[in-house]
Amino acid sequence: MNTTVALIISIVIAFGVTAGLGFIIIPWLRKLKFGQTILDIGPSWHKSKQGTPNMGGLMFIVGIILSIAATCLTLHLTGGSIESDYSALLTGRELVLVIAGAVLALGCGIVGFTDDFIKIKLKRNEGLSPKQKTFGQLIMTVGYILTLWLSHNTSWYIPFMGTVNFEKNIFTAIIFWVLSFFIIYGCVNSVNLTDGIDGLCSSVTVTVAAAFIVIGFMQNFSGLKIFSGALLGGVLGFLCWNWNPAKTFMGDTGSLFLGGMVVALGYLSKCPLILLPIGIVYVCETMSDIIQIGYFKITHGKRVFKMAPIHHHFEMCGWKEKKICIVFSFVNAIGCIIGVLLLYYGNFKQ
């Protein structure tokens, strides 16, 4: 089977399952009274969203995982391969990346599910404590990095520098582990921060998935095409229910899962550093939060932004949620174009 056909199948399955599950999961969440609790620290107009079913991310988790599994199986049964055509890459390593990426995303989703469950069902608004949440993410992060190391998936493309193998010595090994830890932990939580208004995290992630589909074609790597295609279909299917006014929220269940998916795409492309431009909105969301907290402590109460993360700042400036989603997605699309061009001219044309 042609890998382009496999890509289309992955998008269609993920979209169809996710969008279709909305008719089942949303009423189920409403019946279980898994409604969102709006905290007083948020914008006052968000109070109207009180009770909207949370944990809707379960829809695209099922859709995306089912899509990846079904498409890879179909590709295998029809004589295709999810391997890259690059002879420099050994057979089997890409399969490990696909499976490990899916497990990382699922693990992060489980941490998010636990947090949401405690908030909603046990009526503890803070959910997991910061230490508990960090510990759960730490386990998934270390497990993923260890898998990469043991499977020898330690070579990165760096634009204009070529390929760097981190298994050369103990010094490069330490760099690999430290950099990977910050990339994975930082990216997962950055995606989580972006989930603050109807449709924002989903619409921004659409541009990220589309960028990695292009990279998949550049690298002729069907595993990356299928993984990013499933993500694209899943978030588009979820947007059918999450676009303003949202019928459901993804919760930490969904946003942490998406964070794991985005990280996995970076490593599947063999260039995790490319997540910086491709996920520029995620980066800005995190930096705005760090700047706000730091400036607040230094100045004893003064703020840089009206509210952080930065999407709330624009809300406080009078922007409608739909406008924020469109503008932020457009900005991220520009970052995606820059990232793709960096990878194209920095590696494949040198």
Side-chain angles (χ1 to χ4, degrees), residues 46-325:
H46 280 200
K47 284 293 183 181
S48 62
K49 302 181 181 184
Q50 184 87 15
T52 300
N54 202 345
M55 300 168 67
L58 291 169
M59 294 155 53
F60 58 69
I61 290 176
V62 174
I64 290 172
I65 296 300
L66 182 62
S67 173
I68 292 172
T71 308
C72 287
L73 180 61
T74 302
L75 193 64
H76 175 72
L77 293 176
T78 54
S81 171
I82 68 166
E83 304 297 336
S84 168
D85 286 347
Y86 290 144
S87 59
L89 301 176
L90 300 180
T91 301
R93 290 184 183 178
E94 286 73 28
L95 179 60
V96 171
L97 282 174
V98 172
I99 296 174
V103 172
L104 172 67
L106 274 173
C108 291
I110 290 171
V111 173
F113 177 87
T114 305
D115 188 48
D116 286 334
F117 187 85
I118 292 173
K119 287 177 185 174
I120 299 168
K121 200 63 179 176
L122 302 185
K123 306 300 182 183
R124 284 166 46 190
N125 284 342
E126 297 304 317
L128 290 172
S129 69
K131 288 183 179 180
Q132 291 172 329
K133 207 173 196 179
T134 299
F135 180 71
Q137 292 178 355
L138 181 64
I139 291 175
M140 299 312 305
T141 299
V142 172
Y144 183 68
I145 299 174
L146 182 61
T147 302
L148 295 176
W149 185 261
L150 294 177
S151 61
H152 304 291
N153 279 295
T154 54
S155 295
W156 292 1
Y157 291 124
I158 299 180
F160 305 105
M161 289 181 61
T163 302
V164 177
N165 188 344
F166 289 97
E167 290 187 45
K168 290 182 178 180
N169 52 56
I170 186 66
F171 177 71
T172 55
I174 292 172
I175 291 176
F176 174 80
W177 275 81
V178 173
L179 270 180
S180 291
F181 178 82
F182 280 106
I183 290 170
I184 296 167
Y185 184 79
C187 184
V188 169
N189 285 285
S190 294
V191 176
N192 179 239
L193 277 176
T194 308
D195 179 38
I197 60 175
D198 298 358
L200 179 59
C201 189
S202 302
S203 56
V204 169
T205 305
V206 165
T207 66
V208 173
F212 278 107
I213 288 175
V214 174
I215 294 172
F217 277 101
M218 287 166 55
Q219 296 181 336
N220 199 20
F221 180 16
S222 55
L224 179 55
K225 296 177 192 175
I226 291 170
F227 209 89
S228 49
L231 177 60
L232 178 63
V235 289
L236 284 175
F238 187 67
L239 272 172
C240 295
W241 301 96
N242 186 235
W243 190 250
N244 183 264
K247 304 296 188 298
T248 184
F249 302 135
M250 66 175 68
D252 282 0
T253 303
S255 59
L256 290 178
F257 173 85
L258 290 184
M261 287 290 294
V262 171
V263 164
L265 287 174
Y267 280 89
L268 277 162
S269 72
K270 308 285 186 179
C271 185
L273 294 177
I274 210 69
L275 289 170
L276 286 172
I278 287 180
I280 189 61
V281 165
Y282 304 143
V283 175
C284 291
E285 293 279 5
T286 300
M287 291 307 299
S288 68
D289 217 34
I290 294 172
I291 291 170
Q292 184 84 327
I293 294 171
Y295 191 75
F296 184 87
K297 289 182 177 179
I298 292 171
T299 60
H300 304 289
K302 293 183 179 179
R303 293 175 171 84
V304 176
F305 307 102
K306 293 184 177 181
M307 190 174 180
I310 198 167
H311 57 261
H312 287 318
H313 170 79
F314 286 102
E315 268 196 293
M316 301 294 280
C317 290
W319 285 31
K320 300 297 183 183
E321 292 187 40
K322 291 179 181 177
K323 180 179 178 179
I324 295 173
C325 289

Side-chain angles (χ1 to χ4, degrees), residues 12-34:
V12 171
I13 291 177
F15 177 85
V17 172
T18 302
L21 280 175
F23 293 101
I24 301 172
I25 289 183
I26 294 175
W28 176 66
L29 291 173
R30 193 173 285 119
K31 183 178 180 180
L32 293 175
K33 297 182 179 179
F34 277 18

